Amino acid sequence: MASFKPTKVQFLPKLGEKVTEDTLYWKNYKSPVQIKEFGAVTKIDFSPLAPHNYAVTASTRIHVYGLHSQEPIRSFTRFRDTAYGGSFRGDGKLLVAGSEEGLIRLFDICGRVALRQFTGHSKAVHVTSFLSDGFRVVSGSDDLTCRVWDVPSAVELSSITEHTDYIRALAPSKLNPDLFVTGSYDHTVKVFDMRSGSSVMTMQHGHPVECVLLYPSEALLVSTGGRYVKIWDLLKGGQELVSLKNHHKTVTCACLSSVGNKLLTGSLDRHVKVYNSSYKVVHNFDCDASILSMAVAPDDEVVAVGMTNGVLSVRHRKHKKDKETLTSRRRRGPSYRVFVKGKNFVPRQDDFLVSKPVKQYLRKYDKQLKSFEVSKALDTALQMWTRTSKPEVTVAVIIELNRRGTLKNALAGRNEESLTKILNFLLKHIFDPRFSRPLLTVGDIVLDLYRQVLHQSPVVERQLQRLMEVLGREAELQQELLQVLGILDTLFASLTPRKEVLWEEHCPMSLNNHCVSVSSVSADVCRI
Amino acid sequence: MVETSDIRVVRCGGSKVNLTPPIISSDSRFVLCTSGDLVKVYSTRTEEWLHSLQGHTNQVTGITLNPANHLQVYSCSVDGTVKLWDFIDGILIKTFVIGCPLFAIYVSEKHTGVLFLHVSMATDSKNECFQLVSVHLPKSAEQEVEAKEMSAVSSHISKNPSCTAFGRGSVSETCMSMVIFISFFSLCSFSLKATDKKGAKNAFTCIACHPTDDCIATGHEDGKIRLWRNFIHKKEYTYSTQHWHHNAVNTLCFTPEGTHLLSGGIESVLVQWQYGADNRKEFLPRLGGSILHISASSDGQLFCTSHSDNKITVIESSFKVCGVIQGLVKGDAVLTDLMIDPRSKALVLNGKPGHLQFYSLLRDKHLYNLDIVQQEYIYEAGLDQFEVVKAAFDIKGSWLATVEERGKKSSDLEFFLKLWAFDERTQSFVLNTTITAAHTDRIISMCFSSSEETTMLVTAAEDSQFKAWCQGADADTQQDQNFWSCDFVGSYHKLNPTNCSFSADSSLLAVSFQEVITIWSPDTWEMLTTLCQPPGVIRDLCFGRLSCSKYLLGTTTKNLLCCWNLLTCELEWSTSVDVSKLQPDPFSENVAAFSYQSKHTDLFVFKPSEPRPLFTNKNVCSEKVHRAVFVPREEPLNSCDESTQWLNRSQLYFLTQNMDLLTFSTATEEDRMLSSSKQLVIDDSVAVTPFYLLLGKHRQQQQKLNTQSHPVSDKPQQTQGSVTIKELLHTPAHVLPAASVLCSMFVNSFLISNTGETLQEEMDSEKEEEDSEEEMEACDSQQELRAQGSVDEVTPKLSKAQERELKRVRKTDFSWMAGLIDSKP
């Protein structure tokens, strides 16, 4: 006597993205924490020192947040106009920021009042940064000049005017205190050497440059502008290595993760993309608004993204420890001892052993199928949770009912509510190629069964109307696809040299079948 | 040794065990059932086949226990005889010759010496008219008796034996479509009619009598069971109806005490109704095929159900299955080819619905079922179920490919291609890959590549494509699961492929597209050449083996058998034969071709290199042969006769359209079987007594001896010993002389008379050859053997080992025997 064989649910392999270690790593972030600022967040910079606080420049303020705090631990508000480009010094004790009025201010992290003010720029200063020796500040301004300032004496050391448009990107070298890279709206990226006092390298980006970034080895340079992200090889004299076009709006910011030096780019199209070492996109963060600035904390603990609507979104990394505490709190089952009880009992030699029959665990719909309650089984399979999150289970039950020849019985005698459920399911999944075959039969049977009474319910009628529309659209689409395939076939036939082997994909046939069945059902709907 | 080159067609194992109700012996130790020409005896505890009662020359149609002696059983057969057997020892006691074909047998406890038999009324007419006759068995001491005293009891009865039942007070009822006749012996006979004729489907299907009450239970076509009472009082009979079965009730059976009624039908659920409390029932579901017969043992402890899938289930009275006796499941059609599992050498074909069965031909035993479909089977008439339609093994038996299919019409065709890997740990096949949409239309042909290194599967389908499937891990997912994926899709001018076949070294793949054969190289997937022999669609395709591997054979629908030479790509020869099945032998160059012409099938066995057949057998059977397989022998025969040589390495089994599994057997083979079976019977008949222990020990020694050196020429030795032993065992104990007289004779019988000289010689030469004689002996004896075989000597020569054994026997002290004799009064 065999036991009842449960319904086999087919799990078809998912097409599309493959799961790799990179995607797993980047998926492992908690849902973002949103912090509202006063204006668009233009710059985020992490302190290189241990608690890794970060400075957020937005509107006329610079706030400094702790890694896990949602309230600013410090704020610098002495700006008369919009502040730009607040960035830390290498020891994390000083902060420099430019502003709309052309002033550059230098703050002590603990103080409130600016320690120094550098005056000289005639227009807004969007980017400021310390050089790696820590005693000089470099700034780029809308007056087309790049200036280098001495911190102790607060005097201008030099001023270089080589760009022909606003300077909006700046990256000092961490290895050489005399080198820095600027990017400008004149589509160029220039590498300056303070020892010669002029640019030593110029690269044509082709679009207004929004951001430049040096790899830690400083052999590679990243520039973003327009929809493009370009990687340059500095050791080969500024040769272009790759040009990436993964965003569909201007790429505004780029940064590197500290684990494995993965490149992240943010764009006005509200996406943050993560690239692997061969510059393929491996992950994608979605945000609510256009992204202006972005930064990653050391060890990738935090990803902070600033947006045009003034929202700072902070993602924290998940840790195993957190997960464990969560699950242990949730589970309130009996203790381990209860399950172990009696399991390690060793029978003595003369004991008479009575084997306990192993109970077969069946799902609810299987139990109902076992007792031939077909309608109830279909109801169970159409329950909200199953229907939405596991449509394959619902379809498996439908296939099983069809195999038993009782699908018609299961569908018959339903009221408006349960019929709507079925029709909703059809509307949602009838075009999934995995499910379309059984669902088309369901559609056929439903039409056959309820043809007479359909007009009594406006809800069902409306749904059928929609079903007819989408079916018609699908049929049209497939017809077009078939036409395209026909064109391709002729192209291939003329291209391939005379050889007997014919390569062809098997989709035309299946598409054809599918199309025929779709159009037959839509014709059915039309009749009604 | 003269070899008669007689090859004859033999019906081999796997016949139906579910034709008649099985019977359980009164001590519940044995189950007896008919199986072809035999009655088979199984043990209820171990489900093992113990022995069979051999003697009928045609299909056995009924068995029943002898009410006078519960150790004896009557069997009737289409050959017109009733035989009485002692079923424990397997001895035929008596044969009663009736003279006309018999279809069922019944006995009644009240009428000793009378048998009730079903015989056909009109011998010539085709409409099935049967009558029940009673036969008085004449009392006589002879082995074969003619029983002439026949009297008809009732006529126009149904053929189905479950439509007749005997009850208390020798009531016999038989039923035909709408009427029941109840005939009391010498009293009255009257009929019960199924009165409510509103539903047309209430024809009777089966009947059972209550053992103690005046109550008859009838089963109906619409699934109802009626219990009739009060029928003795002429008109005023009453009945109650019970309904659970949704289809026809196939069989009914009362338990011996009459407390319960058992019923079964197509649903394969055994239902136990409590007698008296009608709505109390118990169920035992999912027993297998639909239930055909139910029988209960006389003490009510065991039930037996026989099923349509050639199975007998033994069920305890507590409603637990305690044993399953499974025969070869043949069903209505064998959809898969006959195949041989390379590991177990078992015959593989589709068995019960959705399963592949593994059947050992050697032991005539069902090994196991492999569930392919893995779905709950719904027992309902007219339901379109999944069936295994194609299966193929790779050459090592580590992979199995199956195709299951549902939907007769091509519009709602559903099919799956599944690949199974052999699991060494569980010694069974485990599902590896399921391919849901392998092709867009039905798969026609499927084969594995035969090379050892890489396994590749090729499927050809009606969507005018063939696909090659390879086992390979996907590099991206980084998981080393070795699942199968499509490697190549090929087609030829949008023609539908009909066949595919790999060459012996799998360097070539031949795919036939209607009338054209294309040859492909599986390494590069390049089409090498096309072969075409119009007219006619290619029906069968196979490559030659071993020395003939350069030949490709094909048969067409236009009665042509063609052989191409692949080196020259030219047609080597062709003949006009209507070949229905072409089967190459994997172990030799031979190819068997079955041709069907004017209502009989001929067999040709030939080598592809020469158009002249090696062996022809006209009129093998009267039906078409569609499935055949070569089964490798365990030990090859060494016949050198030309016409039987092709059967040396393997045996050819084939399946006719009537689902008979037939094979060819040679004379030598039968001799060997016969001698072994004789030995077995003697062994079995000896009970466990001190004598047996003594004898058994002796026999074991002897057998060991034989196998060591003399496999063939043991007959003269044996005869001398066995005469005395037989005499000793088969003479009744009270006629035997005193043990002291017997003893010396008995002991003497162990010795070989003319040993004097050889022993003397042996004594002399013993010391020299003590050390290094083992290998020499072996080859010596072999040489002797060969010499014997050629010269056909009769006198046996003793091998050295035997002689030494004898010497040992001689030296052993038999004085204990004297002590035994003395101790007897």
Side-chain angles (χ1 to χ4, degrees), chain B residues 318-331:
Chain B
S318 57
F319 252 48
K320 250 197 239 161
V321 175
C322 64
V324 174
I325 297 160
Q326 176 82 60
L328 181 65
V329 190
K330 282 186 287 199

Side-chain angles (χ1 to χ4, degrees), chain B residues 269-317:
Chain B
V269 181
L270 182 66
V271 188
Q272 191 180 41
W273 310 79
Q274 201 162 357
Y275 184 73
D278 291 344
N279 39 18
R280 280 235 212 119
K281 32 190 189 289
E282 266 188 84
F283 304 104
L284 189 59
R286 284 182 283 281
L287 287 171
S290 60
I291 297 174
L292 298 181
H293 310 287
I294 303 173
S295 53
S297 71
S298 55
D299 55 356
Q301 287 305 304
L302 287 178
F303 308 126
C304 260
T305 55
S306 69
H307 300 264
S308 60
D309 55 353
N310 209 6
K311 185 169 89 171
I312 295 172
T313 313
V314 184
I315 297 161
E316 283 172 14
S317 55

Side-chain angles (χ1 to χ4, degrees), chain B residues 394-468:
Chain B
D394 79 332
I395 194 160
K396 281 179 288 184
S398 52
W399 287 100
L400 165 68
T402 58
V403 177
E404 66 210 53
E405 205 174 271
R406 190 179 89 97
K408 302 284 179 290
K409 294 173 284 175
S410 64
S411 60
D412 48 61
L413 176 76
E414 284 178 64
F415 64 91
F416 296 104
L417 173 64
K418 283 182 178 169
L419 285 136
W420 306 75
F422 190 80
D423 187 8
E424 292 284 351
R425 201 171 48 79
T426 55
Q427 289 291 307
S428 172
F429 284 93
V430 179
L431 184 60
N432 179 271
T433 312
T434 310
I435 301 164
T436 46
H439 285 271
T440 50
D441 214 334
R442 186 170 278 131
I443 292 177
I444 292 174
S445 175
M446 180 163 77
C447 64
F448 268 104
S449 77
S450 34
S451 72
E452 297 269 339
E453 304 90 51
T454 55
T455 44
M456 183 189 288
L457 177 73
V458 169
T459 55
E462 273 176 349
D463 58 353
S464 74
Q465 285 175 337
F466 73 89
K467 289 189 183 180

Side-chain angles (χ1 to χ4, degrees), chain A residues 5 15 77 85 140 184 189 239 258 273 318 332 352 384 420 430 445 458 526:
Chain A
K5 288 172 197 158
L15 296 176
T77 54
S184 154
V189 176
Q239 195 187 3
S258 45
K273 308 237 174 198
K318 275 185 212 160
R332 276 281 161 84
F352 182 73
M384 192 60 189
T420 345
I430 203 159
I445 293 173
C526 282

Side-chain angles (χ1 to χ4, degrees), chain B residues 530-596:
Chain B
T530 57
L531 305 168
C532 186
Q533 183 63 45
V537 178
I538 306 291
R539 190 191 276 161
D540 237 330
L541 201 63
C542 74
F543 278 91
R545 303 275 158 170
L546 305 174
S547 67
C548 299
S549 57
K550 64 179 176 184
Y551 295 104
L552 173 67
L553 291 159
T555 62
T556 66
T557 50
K558 293 284 169 66
N559 302 351
L560 220 53
L561 171 64
C562 307
C563 175
W564 285 275
N565 188 338
L566 289 174
L567 296 178
T568 58
C569 293
E570 276 169 357
L571 188 70
E572 190 94 353
W573 52 267
S574 70
T575 54
S576 177
V577 196
D578 181 13
V579 178
S580 62
K581 175 73 192 170
L582 197 65
Q583 184 67 38
D585 183 0
F587 300 94
S588 67
E589 294 98 339
N590 303 322
V591 178
F594 288 93
S595 100
Y596 182 69

Side-chain angles (χ1 to χ4, degrees), chain B residues 774-786:
Chain B
E774 296 300 322
E775 301 102 19
M776 278 172 63
E777 262 177 28
C779 69
D780 266 2
S781 63
Q782 269 180 6
Q783 273 169 4
E784 268 176 22
L785 210 148
R786 220 162 284 152

Side-chain angles (χ1 to χ4, degrees), chain A residues 1-5 8 10 12 18 370 400 402-405 437 500 502-504 506 509-510, chain B residues 284-286 355 371 374-376 378 383 385 406 411-413 416 436 476-477 488 493-494 527:
Chain A
M1 188 179 98
S3 54
F4 179 82
K5 288 172 197 158
K8 196 120 193 157
Q10 275 198 344
L12 295 166
K18 299 258 163 54
K370 189 179 172 188
E400 172 71 15
N402 189 27
R403 185 181 73 85
R404 292 173 171 219
R437 254 184 94 137
E500 297 297 326
L502 284 177
W503 280 85
E504 53 178 271
H506 68 280
M509 273 303 288
S510 65
Chain B
L284 189 59
R286 284 182 283 281
H355 287 68
D371 189 359
Q374 298 181 330
Q375 270 176 343
E376 176 74 1
I378 309 294
L383 200 63
Q385 306 272 14
R406 190 179 89 97
S411 60
D412 48 61
L413 176 76
F416 296 104
T436 46
D476 287 349
T477 47
F488 176 73
H493 289 304
K494 299 265 177 192
M527 193 165 71

Side-chain angles (χ1 to χ4, degrees), chain B residues 729-802:
Chain B
L729 288 169
H730 291 291
T731 336
H734 60 274
V735 215
L736 273 179
S740 54
V741 183
L742 275 177
C743 186
S744 62
M745 191 178 82
F746 182 65
V747 173
N748 269 330
S749 75
F750 291 153
L751 305 175
I752 287 130
S753 52
N754 57 345
T755 51
E757 301 163 15
T758 43
L759 273 176
Q760 199 58 50
E761 283 168 23
E762 183 72 24
M763 293 286 249
D764 298 338
S765 55
E766 187 181 22
K767 279 149 202 160
E768 305 154 25
E769 26 174 73
E770 242 169 15
D771 301 322
S772 63
E773 56 188 0
E774 296 300 322
E775 301 102 19
M776 278 172 63
E777 262 177 28
C779 69
D780 266 2
S781 63
Q782 269 180 6
Q783 273 169 4
E784 268 176 22
L785 210 148
R786 220 162 284 152
Q788 269 181 10
S790 56
V791 193
D792 200 15
E793 270 185 345
V794 184
T795 48
K797 269 190 184 168
L798 292 175
S799 72
K800 297 262 161 73
Q802 265 183 315

